[in-house]
Amino acid sequence: MAKYLFLKHYRGAPEAVNDVPMHQWTPQEVDDHMQYMKRFRGQARGHG
Protein backbone atom coordinates (compact mmCIF):
# COMPACT_ATOMS: atom_id res chain seq x y z
CA MET A 1 0.00 0.00 0.00
CA ALA A 2 1.27 3.45 -0.89
CA LYS A 3 2.44 5.68 1.91
CA TYR A 4 2.21 8.94 -0.01
CA LEU A 5 0.18 10.51 -2.75
CA PHE A 6 2.03 12.76 -5.16
CA LEU A 7 -0.04 15.70 -6.37
CA LYS A 8 1.16 18.22 -8.87
CA HIS A 9 -0.35 21.59 -9.54
CA TYR A 10 0.77 24.71 -11.25
CA ARG A 11 -0.70 27.54 -9.21
CA GLY A 12 1.81 30.36 -9.24
CA ALA A 13 4.11 28.55 -11.64
CA PRO A 14 5.68 30.24 -14.64
CA GLU A 15 3.65 30.39 -17.84
CA ALA A 16 3.54 27.01 -19.56
CA VAL A 17 5.77 26.50 -22.59
CA ASN A 18 3.12 24.29 -24.22
CA ASP A 19 -0.27 25.57 -23.12
CA VAL A 20 -2.30 23.09 -25.20
CA PRO A 21 -4.90 20.98 -23.37
CA MET A 22 -4.04 17.28 -23.36
CA HIS A 23 -7.15 16.35 -25.34
CA GLN A 24 -5.66 18.34 -28.23
CA TRP A 25 -2.26 16.61 -28.14
CA THR A 26 -1.17 14.33 -30.95
CA PRO A 27 -1.04 10.59 -30.19
CA GLN A 28 2.77 10.84 -30.20
CA GLU A 29 2.72 13.67 -27.65
CA VAL A 30 0.43 11.66 -25.37
CA ASP A 31 2.67 8.60 -25.68
CA ASP A 32 5.81 10.65 -24.98
CA HIS A 33 4.19 12.18 -21.89
CA MET A 34 3.05 8.78 -20.59
CA GLN A 35 6.56 7.38 -21.03
CA TYR A 36 7.97 10.37 -19.14
CA MET A 37 5.52 9.88 -16.28
CA LYS A 38 6.35 6.15 -16.08
CA ARG A 39 10.06 6.98 -15.84
CA PHE A 40 9.32 9.60 -13.18
CA ARG A 41 7.27 7.05 -11.21
CA GLY A 42 10.13 4.57 -11.37
CA GLN A 43 12.60 7.17 -10.13
CA ALA A 44 10.27 8.21 -7.30
CA ARG A 45 9.82 4.60 -6.22
CA GLY A 46 13.56 4.10 -6.37
CA HIS A 47 14.05 6.93 -3.89
CA GLY A 48 11.37 5.68 -1.51
Side-chain angles (χ1 to χ4, degrees):
M1 178 175 282
K3 293 168 79 175
Y4 303 97
L5 173 64
F6 179 76
L7 299 174
K8 64 178 188 174
H9 64 86
Y10 302 101
R11 184 179 304 147
E15 187 68 31
V17 174
N18 178 2
D19 198 19
V20 178
M22 192 173 185
H23 71 274
Q24 295 178 2
W25 292 4
T26 66
Q28 184 63 53
E29 290 171 324
V30 173
D31 186 54
D32 290 346
H33 178 72
M34 295 307 294
Q35 291 301 316
Y36 168 80
M37 294 306 292
K38 288 176 184 176
R39 284 191 308 272
F40 180 86
R41 179 184 63 194
Q43 291 172 347
R45 283 184 177 170
H47 289 93

